[in-house]
Amino acid sequence: MVTPRPAQSRLARSDWITAALEVIATKGIDGISVEALAAHLGVTKGSFYWHFKTRGDLVAGALGEWAIRQTQE
């Protein structure tokens, strides 16, 4: 599923986006759950809301990052 982050490192917006991209690749957009990602990343949902206002913002960020990566390739 989602690659765990190293222990005791500070979680960044990019960590959430990377985790969301991994879920999209395996389960599709509907597979993205804030609660499940938070649990897997070992953080609270508060961490999510520090970086994003809504789940939709995370999805938009992930799809934007995917577009950038695909364009660069």
Side-chain angles (χ1 to χ4, degrees):
M1 178 165 153
V2 178
T3 306
R5 68 185 177 95
Q8 298 184 357
S9 66
R10 185 171 285 256
L11 192 66
R13 177 181 170 90
S14 61
D15 295 315
W16 284 98
I17 288 174
T18 297
L21 285 171
E22 291 176 9
V23 170
I24 290 169
T26 59
K27 297 182 179 181
I29 290 174
D30 291 336
I32 295 175
S33 160
V34 173
E35 293 83 5
L37 286 176
H40 186 77
L41 292 169
V43 296
T44 66
K45 287 189 341 182
S47 171
F48 170 82
Y49 291 108
W50 178 260
H51 299 289
F52 303 95
K53 288 184 180 182
T54 66
R55 177 188 172 276
D57 290 339
L58 171 61
V59 171
L63 294 178
E65 178 62 23
W66 177 83
I68 290 168
R69 291 179 186 183
Q70 294 304 309
T71 302
Q72 290 175 346
E73 289 180 7

